[in-house]
Amino acid sequence: MQTLYRILKYHLKVSAEMIVCLTDKIKDWTNVVVAYEPVWAIGTGKVASPAQAQEVHANLRDWLKTNVSPEVAESTRIIYGGSVTGASCKELAAQPDVDGFLVGGASLKPEFIDIINAATVKSA
Ligand SMILES: O=C[C@H](O)COP(=O)(O)O
């Protein structure tokens, strides 16, 4: 757990007040989705670069692999949130460890359909 705290603290660049880890209480990981939302990106119009998002997501998946199981790491969806738009979604979705999005403002605009369709980028 301490390692996850350090990973998140490093990436978030903030003094994380508290990271609550419930991995020992989760019985069924198929019900879990991990969301990474950099606080500076939420509702600001500043989206993480694809490389930034990929780096954090890969670290989170590695953490799951080490601390839960390789199977859970492989199957758990790790989604990104923070100013995703129709313009940024395809490149983000193409990153190997970005499995989807948590969309706020853009979900109210016509471009939301482009964000939904970005889910097919890796299979295209
Ligand atoms: O629930 C949505 C997330 O907080 C991201 O919101 P946003 O896309 O408006 O930045």
Side-chain angles (χ1 to χ4, degrees), residues 7-23:
I7 289 168
L8 291 172
K9 188 172 177 183
Y10 170 79
H11 284 292
L12 296 175
K13 304 276 193 264
V14 296
S15 209
E17 290 170 20
M18 181 170 290
I19 303 295
V20 178
C21 295
L22 299 173
T23 53

Side-chain angles (χ1 to χ4, degrees), residues 37 41-43 81-84 102-105:
E37 286 196 288
I42 299 171
S83 297
V84 175
L102 192 58
V103 185

Side-chain angles (χ1 to χ4, degrees), residues 37-99:
E37 286 196 288
V39 67
W40 50 263
I42 299 171
T44 63
K46 296 177 187 170
V47 64
S49 72
Q52 286 172 325
Q54 170 56 26
E55 184 182 6
V56 178
H57 286 221
N59 277 321
L60 289 168
R61 201 177 302 284
D62 282 347
W63 188 91
L64 288 172
K65 185 176 181 181
T66 302
N67 293 279
V68 184
S69 74
E71 294 75 20
V72 165
E74 178 71 26
S75 61
T76 298
R77 284 178 295 149
I78 304 175
I79 64 174
Y80 169 82
S83 297
V84 175
T85 64
S88 60
C89 63
K90 279 189 182 169
E91 206 177 345
L92 282 164
Q95 302 307 304
D97 292 298
V98 175
D99 301 322

